[in-house]
Amino acid sequence: MADDTDTLIMLVASLLKPGDSFSQAEILDALVNCSGSVEDAAERLAQVASSSKGKRVSMPASSRKRKRDTKLDAWLKPPSKGTSTEHLKVPPQKVRRDEPKPKPLSSASAKPVTDLMTILRPPPSSEKKGPPKFAPLMLSSPALVAEHTPCTLHHSILPPELACELFYTMLDASRAWQRNKWWLFDKVVESPHLTSFFARRTNGLDDDESWQEAAQYWYNGRATEAPSTFPEPMERACQIIERVVNEEMAKRKRFKLEWGDPDAGSPPVWRANVAASNCYEGSKESVGWHSDQLTYLGPYPTIASLSLGTRRNFSLREVVPSQDADIRRARTFNIPLPHNSLTIMHASCQETFKHSIPPQSSIDLYRPAHPRGTHPANPDIGSHYDEHGHYRVLGAATANSSDPSIAKPPPSPPSAVSSTGASVDAAIEPSNCRINITFRFYRPDFRPGTIPKCHCGIPTILRPDMKSRVNGETDRYWWTCYAGAQNDGKGCKFWKIMDMKSEGRGPCVGGLKP
């Protein structure tokens, strides 16, 4: 504050008449007695100079010699209790009898008092202000979701019994799911939720079951085994979701690099042939901001995300292109997703928006509307209560086996199982888990065998150029090395622009054919 004190002293000195000379200590004393008012201090000193007829009356020596705290906030604050203020008072000056006493300043003749903060406040910044920021917006209805995002929200998408059955099936299966691990900045990081992957018996377009054999997918730079097939409840749910997705796609604008044959003369056909599944347990398990990898989805995919279990918020935020960065800012949109709701991320969502499931301070427990029943038999996945009332994974002999594949029974198993397979008097246990199933269409022109490999010998991943758009569309994608996610964080920095025509991809809505 020393610089501020010097500034005030200079301001007082500039208001004095020529020839009125006072020391810094005297000016500072005047400022103290005038509560920091520059003009009052100058007026006081002028009276002192006038009363001495040009002969300046010196301030008391004790006032000049005493150790003083010259910090501005020290004399702006009111004195504390018990603190003497006698030393701050200026003693009355001796005036000769024949000298007229100075008239006190009237309120009419007094100059306006300058607010101290107008002097100390820094000048307004000359930097150009950016576009305004907006607070996050809660999209609580399907109409608001459709208005602000390239998504549609559908409540109660499945029959209630099927939604509960699928929730139980996936919740039981999640006991064997894992957390993804990958390298990031020379450290191994782990996803804060459980995840798994499923594939249909065919690619959804024909009856060729070689799709399963070719589905040796790579995830986060790591080779994986062929995924499990859709459990029977998931297959039934998928058929309903496919119908809704195709109805919505028929209402929307199509993009030129989107999958489709313009010469076919038929509405678009979207078939879900894979499903990425996630389990979020409790309020803290989450996933950060990201857009889904397009490696096998191709440009402008449509993804249908089914939510089962406890309600969680789904957040969306646009990636503002470089050419618009000076005129607008991205806004976060939060969508509450209750049990049995479907969010369709339509074409352009992965190119223009990032999404996340943020952690929450608290959540409401989900209480299923229907009790557990026997899950239909499936050779790949599923669990049920056998004829003895034992909870077991399909293929296991008994719940009392030491086999590690046997799942532990839930807290309250059903007391009996009817001859039709439905549980009798089964207890309904509340759950703090959210099951998310994202149904996706892996395009035939982006099959695993057609994905270019980097210098590390590992399939690359496809990324969109989210910062640049031409006429509102993203038209540039590139293949980039992703080996660093699993190779101790080391990759080869390979990348190249994707060329749909030279790579023999299509057909596309814009007329491109292989």
Side-chain angles (χ1 to χ4, degrees), residues 2 39 51 70 108 118 129 136 214 286 297 306 330 362 368 374 389 428 447-448 450 473 510:
E39 294 187 348
S51 64
T70 58
T118 62
K129 292 184 178 180
S286 60
L297 300 171
L306 176 66
S362 63
T374 298
I428 294 179
R447 291 173 69 93
T450 69
E473 292 193 28

Side-chain angles (χ1 to χ4, degrees), residues 272-289:
N273 46 28
V274 298
S277 301
N278 305 287
C279 177
Y280 302 89
E281 184 176 5
S283 62
K284 301 306 179 185
E285 293 199 347
S286 60
V287 64
W289 290 105

Side-chain angles (χ1 to χ4, degrees), residues 47-164:
Q47 292 179 12
V48 172
S50 175
S51 64
S52 61
K53 290 187 175 182
K55 295 182 180 180
R56 178 170 54 86
V57 178
S58 300
M59 295 293 179
S62 59
S63 174
R64 294 195 302 270
K65 293 181 180 179
R66 67 180 177 85
K67 187 177 181 180
R68 113 178 29 258
D69 186 357
T70 58
K71 292 185 178 179
L72 186 61
D73 56 353
W75 50 265
L76 284 181
K77 293 180 180 178
S80 59
K81 292 183 178 180
T83 303
S84 174
T85 58
E86 291 297 325
H87 65 281
L88 298 179
K89 297 180 180 179
V90 177
Q93 303 296 326
K94 294 181 179 180
V95 183
R96 292 174 56 181
R97 293 181 179 275
D98 56 346
E99 237 179 35
K101 294 183 179 179
K103 297 181 180 180
L105 294 174
S106 64
S107 57
S109 62
K111 296 181 180 179
V113 178
T114 303
D115 183 8
L116 182 63
M117 293 310 298
T118 62
I119 301 173
L120 300 183
R121 185 180 296 115
S125 175
S126 59
E127 295 181 4
K128 183 180 178 181
K129 292 184 178 180
K133 293 181 180 180
F134 297 98
L137 182 63
M138 181 67 71
L139 307 181
S140 55
S141 69
L144 288 173
V145 172
E147 177 184 352
H148 293 281
T149 71
C151 301
T152 53
L153 177 63
H154 306 263
H155 291 142
S156 303
I157 190 69
L158 302 177
E161 297 84 355
L162 176 56
C164 282

Side-chain angles (χ1 to χ4, degrees), residues 12 26 119 137 140 163 220 240 259 303 397 411 445 451 456 488 508:
V12 173
E26 292 169 336
I119 301 173
L137 182 63
S140 55
N220 284 334
I240 297 173
W259 167 263
I303 298 175
D445 55 336
I451 305 303
C456 304
D488 295 338
C508 299

Side-chain angles (χ1 to χ4, degrees), residues 357-409:
I357 300 292
Q360 297 178 199
S361 58
S362 63
I363 57 173
D364 295 327
L365 292 178
Y366 165 63
R367 290 172 171 81
H370 299 273
R372 281 180 176 270
T374 298
H375 300 313
N378 182 284
D380 297 293
I381 190 69
S383 56
H384 61 34
Y385 292 92
D386 62 17
E387 65 272 19
H388 304 294
H390 295 148
Y391 180 80
R392 58 186 287 268
V393 174
L394 291 175
T398 171
N400 298 322
S401 170
S402 59
D403 189 333
S405 66
I406 304 299
K408 295 180 180 179

Side-chain angles (χ1 to χ4, degrees), residues 328-370:
R328 63 188 180 94
R329 296 194 187 199
R331 188 174 195 174
T332 298
F333 301 102
N334 296 318
I335 307 174
L337 300 181
H339 171 70
N340 198 15
S341 62
L342 180 72
T343 307
I344 305 177
M345 293 184 282
H346 290 282
S348 79
C349 186
Q350 305 306 321
E351 281 84 356
T352 58
F353 277 75
K354 290 190 175 184
H355 55 272
S356 72
I357 300 292
Q360 297 178 199
S361 58
S362 63
I363 57 173
D364 295 327
L365 292 178
Y366 165 63
R367 290 172 171 81
H370 299 273

